[in-house]
Structure formats: C-alpha cells, structure tokens
Amino acid sequence: MSWLALIKPGDWLLILLGTTLVGASFPLFWQGGLADRAIVRQNGQVFAEVDLRSRRQLEVPGPLGPTLIAIEPGRARVLSDPGPRQYCVRQGWLMRPGEIAICAPNRVSVQITGRTKVYDSISY
Amino acid sequence: MTQSVIELTVTDQDRRIAWLATAAVALSLVDAAIPSPLPGVKPGLANIVTLVVLARYGWATAVWVSGLRVLAGSLLLGYFLAPGFFLSLTGTLFSLATLGLARYLPARWFGPVSLSILAAFAHIGGQLVLARLWLIPHDGLFLLTPVFALAALVFGTINGLIAAKLLSDTPPPPEPDHA
C-alpha cells in the first residue's frame, strides 16, 4: 500500500489549510516585513534617511565628536562612537524594523524601519 | 505469607496501557536523542503511539498512555517538574483535548493524518501560551510562532502517516470478551 493512499481527502484539505496558515503566519508575525530604511537622528532631528540597499558609511557629528554608522544591504550598525559606555556600538547589527541603537551621550540614534510602522511600545 | 488487605487486581486493560506507555516512553527517549536546531522543535514520535491507541482503544486509553509517557519520560530524562515538564504536560493536555474533539470527525474523510496535524498544532499552541504566560513573558516569543507552526505541520503530517501506516498494516485485535 503506498503512502499516498493513506491520506484521505479531508487530510489533504487540512494539509492545504495548514500550509496556508503557516504561510500566512510568517508575514503576520514577522510584521513590518524586511528592513528597508535606516533613519539616523542627531539631537532629535533627522540627520539622514538611508536606503538599506546600498553599502556606505556615514559620519554624524555630535557634541562629543563624530559617530560612525555603517550601512549594508538589509542592516545597519554604529561602528564607533565617542560615548563612554559604547552601548550603541555593542548592540551590533540592527536588521529588524523597529530596532534602534541610541548613542545618548552623543545624541545620535539609528533606527530601522520597514514598509509598515511598528510600535516599540504601546500603553493604554 | 500475610495476605495483603489491599488487593490490586491487574486487568488486561492495565497491562495494555503499561505496554503502550512503555512504547511511547521509548519513542520519547529516541525523540530526545535527535538533535534539534531550536528548543521545542522535535519530531514528537511518541505521538504516533497516541494516535494508534486513540484509533484502536479509544480516547480514555490514549489519555492514560500519554499521561504516563509524560511522567515516565520526564523521570527518565531528568526533567520531572522542571519547566520542560510543564511545557510537555501542557502540550499533551492541549493535544489530547483536541484529539478528544477531532475523533468525531467523519472517518471516511479524515484519517490519522488530520488528527495528527490538529494535535500537533494544539500541542505547540498550548506550549506557546504557557511559555508566554510563565517562562518568557514577552511578545518577542511569538516571533518564533511561524517556525513552530511549520514544524508542527511537517512533523504532524509525517507522524500521522506513520500512524496510518501502522493502523493499516496491522489488523485490529479481536474484540475483548471480558469486561
């Protein structure tokens, strides 16, 4: 008896339904889609909006000195920062929409955005 | 020899449950030995036993066999009362409840594969709920949902096929004539 003969019509229906649900769950749960832009802010003002398809480096001047930001296809990171604790540098690559690295002492931040806006927190 | 006050009579049903639970425990040991890329993603081979038992001996026996499997399996693998035990228990309870409802699906259209897929989804659903409420109280956990759902679909289908194969290869046992 072949394996396929063991699958009844309803089983096929359920496999199809399951596949559809699983397929739909990827964009649903990984909402925001792929990272496609990085917003670099200095002192609260947008310093640059960079497309994450290019590969480049950005130097953002701040009160402590220059913060170096690297842009690569699909991701971005803070390469170096004059701040004392280096939190934003150690955060590494940011690749999901909504992710943000903040170099507070130098007042520089890098945020990743996707097609849809995701909230980092919601309160009621 | 002193006659014991308490008489424990072992019925055929008890023996059968013990044998089937042993098979299920053995399969969960095999399961644990298979390396997994992500905690929670594993074949769940012991569920094949649950499916066969459900089809052959009914839901109550399936509950017994699964319950004993979770208990004995966790004791053997050393995670009894550890978080993994409660995850396992929750998943099993959810899938048993689902099987309890799904067994009323018309057998002409829905075979063990359907039951297996439904149980697998219920299993991972229950585990995600428990993990979210208790172990990792953060919505970031749900980012793993698609991966878990995919694993549930794939392994649910495979286990269901194996159970269907076992059921079609072995004829049902003669109806027991005892109570």
Side-chain angles (χ1 to χ4, degrees), chain B residues 52-80:
Chain B
V52 172
V53 170
L54 179 76
R56 279 287 146 79
Y57 306 109
W59 188 67
T61 313
V63 171
W64 267 110
V65 169
S66 294
L68 285 172
R69 183 205 85 215
V70 170
L71 189 68
S74 68
L75 284 171
L76 280 174
L77 291 167
Y79 66 86
F80 180 57

Side-chain angles (χ1 to χ4, degrees), chain B residues 74-75 77-89 130 134-135:
Chain B
S74 68
L75 284 171
L77 291 167
Y79 66 86
F80 180 57
L81 294 187
F85 169 77
F86 292 103
L87 284 173
S88 179
L89 188 67
L130 180 74
W134 178 39
L135 294 173

Side-chain angles (χ1 to χ4, degrees), chain A residues 11-23:
Chain A
D11 298 341
W12 282 117
L13 194 73
L14 213 67
I15 292 172
L16 196 72
L17 194 73
T19 313
T20 318
L21 278 178
V22 169

Side-chain angles (χ1 to χ4, degrees), chain A residues 14-93:
Chain A
L14 213 67
I15 292 172
L16 196 72
L17 194 73
T19 313
T20 318
L21 278 178
V22 169
S25 73
F26 276 90
L28 189 73
F29 284 93
W30 298 356
Q31 63 162 308
L34 296 167
D36 54 24
R37 257 136 41 99
I39 300 174
V40 180
R41 288 192 179 84
Q42 208 288 313
N43 210 4
Q45 312 298 313
V46 174
F47 178 84
E49 274 197 54
V50 197
D51 203 315
L52 285 185
R53 274 175 300 193
S54 52
R55 185 185 297 270
R56 54 184 282 202
Q57 286 195 4
L58 222 69
E59 204 181 281
V60 188
L64 301 183
T67 297
L68 208 58
I69 290 161
I71 308 287
E72 279 192 13
R75 58 185 196 170
R77 73 169 294 169
V78 179
L79 273 186
S80 70
D81 179 67
R85 281 171 292 272
Q86 302 285 305
Y87 290 139
C88 57
V89 179
R90 284 156 67 183
Q91 220 172 325
W93 289 106

Side-chain angles (χ1 to χ4, degrees), chain A residues 94-108:
Chain A
L94 313 173
M95 43 189 113
R96 288 187 45 78
E99 275 193 305
I100 188 167
I102 302 169
C103 305
N106 209 27
R107 298 178 190 172
V108 174

